[in-house]
Amino acid sequence: MSVARPTRQKLSILALSLSLSLGLAMSPAAMAQPQEQKQALAPPANATEAKLRELYNTEWDWRQKEFAREKIDGRWQSAAHMPSVTAQTWQRRGEYWADVLKQLDAIPAAQLSREEKINEAVFRTTVEGLHNDAVWKTYEAPFNSDTFFWAGLNPRQPYQSEADWRRFIGRLNDIPRYFGENIANMDAGLSRGWSVPRSSVEGRDNTIVPYTKTDAENPYLATFDRIPSSIPEPVRSQLREEGRKAVLENVVPAYANLLTFMRGQYLVRARTTTGASDLPNGRAFYKTQIREFVTRDMTAKQVHDIGLAEVARINAEMREVMARSGFKGSFPEFLQFLRTDPQFYAKTPKELLSYTAWISKKVDGELKNVVGTLPRYRFTILPVPDEVAPIYTSGRGGLDSCLFNTYDLPSRPLYNLPALVVHECAPGHSFQAALALEAPARPDFRQQTYFSGYGEGWGLYTEWLGTLMGIYETPYDDFGRLTFEMWRAARLVIDTGLHEYGWTRQQAIDYLAANTALAHHDIVTEIDRYIAWPGQATAYYLGYKTMRDLRSEAERELGPKFDQRPFHDTILNLGSVPLPVLESEVRTFVAERKAAARTAAEE
């Protein structure tokens, strides 16, 4: 989810604005493929393909400018100002995307090549999500339980050029306007009953507090003390002073005003219900969210029933692993043992981070047996920033870094870390993002498109793949993996339970606690995230199940000729695509391999 990371945000208005914020804190390499790695696209095969390319390239350039990106040295980078987020701007954007979809409908798909059909499907699904969220006015709730428009604006690592620092200062000076527009949108949402539920807002106001300080405890002020010495004097001192002036005169008052609004208005007026069905026309909205995240048409009942069946299957496997561990008590007693025994918990943040780094290097030694193409780009391992750690997930991975939460160490069991590392780092999200960066030539919009069903499905698939890589050394590690698999399967039941079937927050907490060894802190954090972000939780397991089913199909069809490396390359080389496209391309790959095998046998 770097902070996922533009690479880990969903294709909604909320996430698009969030990815803007998060993108500001990432290196230029995270934003676009380096110029020297770019390859030229083949020319369009006919007039229809030319028309499609003109449409998606024009929309992409328009979208970048709309969201405060500008092209610098051939790459899209964050501009020296924040984007407009007024209701009038969003209405105009919605109208634009409606017209784009109309033009797209007029393009005959039969006249497109295989690659352009993929481009068309990716582009259409993206624009449909953006348009739907503009229509639903989700910008009136521009944050969720752990990802906020006011966070992630500060760079994780110092910028290396004067130009980057000056654009950053420009954005800081524009924060008062940007926050003011978001506050106006939130106020409008509260007035019509469209808000983040109160249970997912409480305590989140505390993440604003550090930015209201006027001393070194303010993360922005600390950032300007880290300008690298590679920027010579007197420029370095000038940047520091200009930055401090922007923070003290513009940023601090804007955050203070936001804090007053959140505590005096939002927390008081936010809805006390938890389900999307309680929003205006909420059941119809929830249906669009399942479609957006899963990238296929499914009813809430279909999702719920799959979840119930998978929970039952995984529970049986968990009990087998418990027996293998030698534990003699009941299943609830085993969960309690895992949650409380000191052997399973790090004593210091450094111990936890060191353990994740060791797992990561162990994975490195196995990657050559898993995929055929290894990326050059490398990630680092960092702790989740202190200002968001109390309400943040256990870990998230993106192109530049994997974040692991070292807050409340008694809630961070070590037996969960092997699965978490392969999911977030390699061969999961960081690895996936690096391959996307170095991907074959494709349109710019494909480089930065992210579908949760594909991306999170791959992340969960890699957790299972760890069983073939020898990553889980003890029954407890394997139980941690199964806890994570159960967690995602249970999400199908919980998300639909909350948003379609009227479950209470406590009912959801109890269900996750009864079926996994997750710590109570993590369980509550996760449930509040599902409440605040309807549908997103359904993507993980359904994407994973699609990939597992495709692998089983490929193994049956190819028999002893099956090689997981080209199979995985096929998935990864596609980049993020809707699940129906993934199915079609993998089946084409299998058919081509079968044909090649037959030809070889006949020679």
Side-chain angles (χ1 to χ4, degrees):
M1 266 215 9
S2 46
V3 189
R5 56 225 154 128
T7 52
R8 294 203 55 191
Q9 297 301 324
K10 75 164 188 149
L11 296 173
S12 69
I13 284 174
L14 163 64
L16 198 64
S17 61
L18 293 172
S19 69
L20 271 166
S21 301
L22 295 166
L24 303 180
M26 298 183 73
S27 71
M31 299 291 97
Q33 192 175 15
Q35 190 69 29
E36 65 271 18
Q37 293 180 14
K38 282 186 177 293
Q39 305 171 28
L41 290 170
N46 52 45
T48 300
E49 289 194 357
K51 185 175 181 180
L52 174 64
R53 287 193 186 185
E54 181 181 6
L55 181 60
Y56 60 58
N57 286 331
T58 298
E59 189 279 338
W60 175 251
D61 289 350
W62 173 87
R63 196 193 317 172
Q64 298 309 291
K65 294 172 184 175
E66 283 289 308
F67 293 102
R69 304 289 298 271
E70 59 184 33
K71 217 161 199 178
I72 300 168
D73 296 329
R75 300 179 301 191
W76 289 105
Q77 299 186 49
S78 298
H81 61 90
M82 302 296 288
S84 171
V85 292
T86 66
Q88 295 78 12
T89 298
W90 281 118
Q91 181 179 357
R92 174 177 55 77
R93 289 169 181 159
E95 292 168 353
Y96 178 88
W97 284 318
D99 182 65
V100 168
L101 290 170
K102 184 178 179 180
Q103 293 181 61
L104 199 55
D105 287 340
I107 294 176
Q111 296 178 22
L112 300 175
S113 65
R114 176 176 165 183
E115 185 65 22
E116 288 295 349
K117 285 179 180 177
I118 295 174
N119 291 336
E120 191 274 345
V122 171
F123 182 62
R124 179 184 293 276
T125 307
T126 303
V127 175
E128 285 175 347
L130 294 168
H131 173 256
N132 285 341
D133 283 349
V135 170
W136 285 103
K137 298 182 180 180
T138 60
Y139 55 83
E140 292 182 347
F143 66 99
N144 60 38
S145 67
D146 69 1
T147 312
F148 322 106
F149 67 84
W150 60 83
L153 304 177
N154 208 22
R156 292 182 191 168
Q157 298 176 353
Y159 295 111
Q160 298 300 308
S161 75
E162 177 185 353
D164 285 338
W165 283 102
R166 293 204 178 280
R167 284 193 295 273
F168 176 50
I169 293 169
R171 294 192 293 273
L172 294 181
N173 282 322
D174 201 25
I175 279 179
R177 175 197 59 80
Y178 179 65
F179 281 16
E181 292 175 2
N182 275 292
I183 288 172
N185 290 338
M186 290 189 286
D187 185 65
L190 289 167
S191 297
R192 71 179 181 104
W194 191 283
S195 77
V196 179
R198 185 177 300 171
S199 61
S200 294
V201 178
E202 290 173 341
R204 277 64 182 179
D205 53 308
N206 293 329
T207 66
I208 302 170
V209 173
Y211 302 101
T212 65
K213 298 183 181 299
T214 57
D215 55 23
E217 292 185 22
N218 187 308
Y220 287 118
L221 291 175
T223 291
F224 283 101
D225 290 331
R226 299 165 57 212
I227 299 176
S229 58
S230 57
I231 297 178
E233 294 287 6
V235 174
R236 187 161 74 252
S237 294
Q238 291 170 354
L239 291 172
R240 184 181 300 112
E241 291 309 308
E242 290 176 24
R244 290 181 62 83
K245 184 174 186 289
V247 173
L248 294 173
E249 295 184 2
N250 288 313
V251 175
V252 168
Y255 275 90
N257 184 48
L258 176 63
L259 183 62
T260 298
F261 174 80
M262 293 299 291
R263 289 178 170 172
Q265 293 290 322
Y266 211 93
L267 277 164
V268 175
R269 297 165 59 195
R271 64 188 176 102
T272 56
T273 57
T274 54
S277 57
D278 298 306
L279 292 167
N281 202 15
R283 278 194 164 81
F285 169 69
Y286 184 51
K287 184 177 180 180
T288 68
Q289 296 308 284
I290 292 176
R291 174 70 176 82
E292 181 175 338
F293 284 112
V294 180
T295 60
R296 65 166 89 246
D297 289 317
M298 295 184 71
T299 66
K301 185 179 187 306
Q302 286 174 315
V303 174
H304 194 81
D305 289 348
I306 290 172
L308 290 173
E310 292 300 297
V311 165
R313 179 189 63 78
I314 299 166
N315 183 271
E317 191 173 345
M318 293 173 87
R319 291 174 186 272
E320 292 174 4
V321 174
M322 181 185 76
R324 183 155 49 88
S325 75
F327 188 82
K328 302 302 182 186
S330 66
F331 188 75
E333 288 171 338
F334 187 58
L335 296 184
Q336 182 63 14
F337 164 66
L338 291 173
R339 288 179 179 135
T340 57
D341 194 293
Q343 69 175 300
F344 299 124
Y345 296 87
K347 295 178 177 59
T348 66
K350 185 175 181 180
E351 181 184 349
L352 186 146
L353 293 172
S354 297
Y355 187 51
T356 62
W358 176 72
I359 296 166
S360 176
K361 291 310 296 180
K362 185 164 63 170
V363 170
D364 276 353
E366 295 294 325
L367 288 176
K368 63 182 179 297
N369 302 318
V370 175
V371 294
T373 302
L374 296 174
R376 292 178 292 173
Y377 203 90
R378 293 294 179 263
F379 62 88
T380 189
I381 289 175
L382 297 171
V384 172
D386 291 342
E387 61 267 25
V388 296
I391 46 81
Y392 208 67
T393 51
S394 295
R396 289 187 183 175
L399 179 67
D400 284 341
S401 61
C402 280
L403 303 182
F404 292 95
N405 205 327
T406 58
Y407 172 83
D408 190 18
L409 287 174
S411 295
R412 313 293 171 195
L414 298 176
Y415 54 76
N416 283 347
L417 287 182
L420 189 62
V421 169
V422 295
H423 181 118
E424 301 295 348
C425 303
H429 292 311
S430 294
F431 183 90
Q432 194 176 17
L435 281 175
L437 185 75
E438 300 168 14
R442 58 173 55 114
D444 283 350
F445 79 91
R446 290 277 304 278
Q447 294 290 124
Q448 297 178 46
T449 294
Y450 183 83
F451 297 108
S452 289
Y454 172 92
E456 300 300 344
W458 173 258
L460 183 48
Y461 175 85
T462 63
E463 294 177 23
W464 169 80
L465 196 59
T467 63
L468 307 183
M469 299 167 67
I471 302 304
Y472 309 107
E473 296 185 348
T474 70
Y476 304 118
D477 291 346
D478 203 29
F479 196 89
R481 174 189 68 83
L482 287 170
T483 280
F484 273 26
E485 186 174 359
M486 173 67 87
W487 170 24
R488 278 46 165 268
R491 284 179 178 184
L492 302 181
V493 181
I494 292 168
D495 198 89
T496 50
L498 286 166
H499 298 299
E500 183 74 15
Y501 296 118
W503 281 27
T504 65
R505 177 174 180 266
Q506 190 60 50
Q507 190 175 354
I509 289 171
D510 291 344
Y511 187 85
L512 195 55
N515 285 289
T516 73
L518 293 173
H520 180 74
H521 179 91
D522 270 355
I523 289 170
V524 173
T525 298
E526 288 299 315
I527 295 303
D528 285 339
R529 185 159 72 97
Y530 309 154
I531 288 171
W533 208 350
Q536 194 267 352
T538 64
Y540 294 65
Y541 202 88
L542 294 173
Y544 160 67
K545 189 173 185 302
T546 297
M547 293 181 189
R548 284 293 306 275
D549 289 347
L550 286 169
R551 179 176 177 128
S552 296
E553 186 177 322
E555 289 173 337
R556 286 194 307 270
E557 292 292 318
L558 297 175
K561 298 291 185 181
F562 176 79
D563 184 340
Q564 68 174 357
R565 291 170 298 179
F567 174 79
H568 294 146
D569 285 350
T570 298
I571 294 174
L572 291 167
N573 287 344
L574 274 173
S576 197
V577 294
L579 293 181
V581 173
L582 174 66
E583 289 174 329
S584 175
E585 288 301 301
V586 169
R587 285 170 179 151
T588 298
F589 158 78
V590 171
E592 290 172 348
R593 300 285 284 199
K594 284 182 70 175
R598 282 196 302 269
T599 300
E602 292 169 357
E603 290 177 351

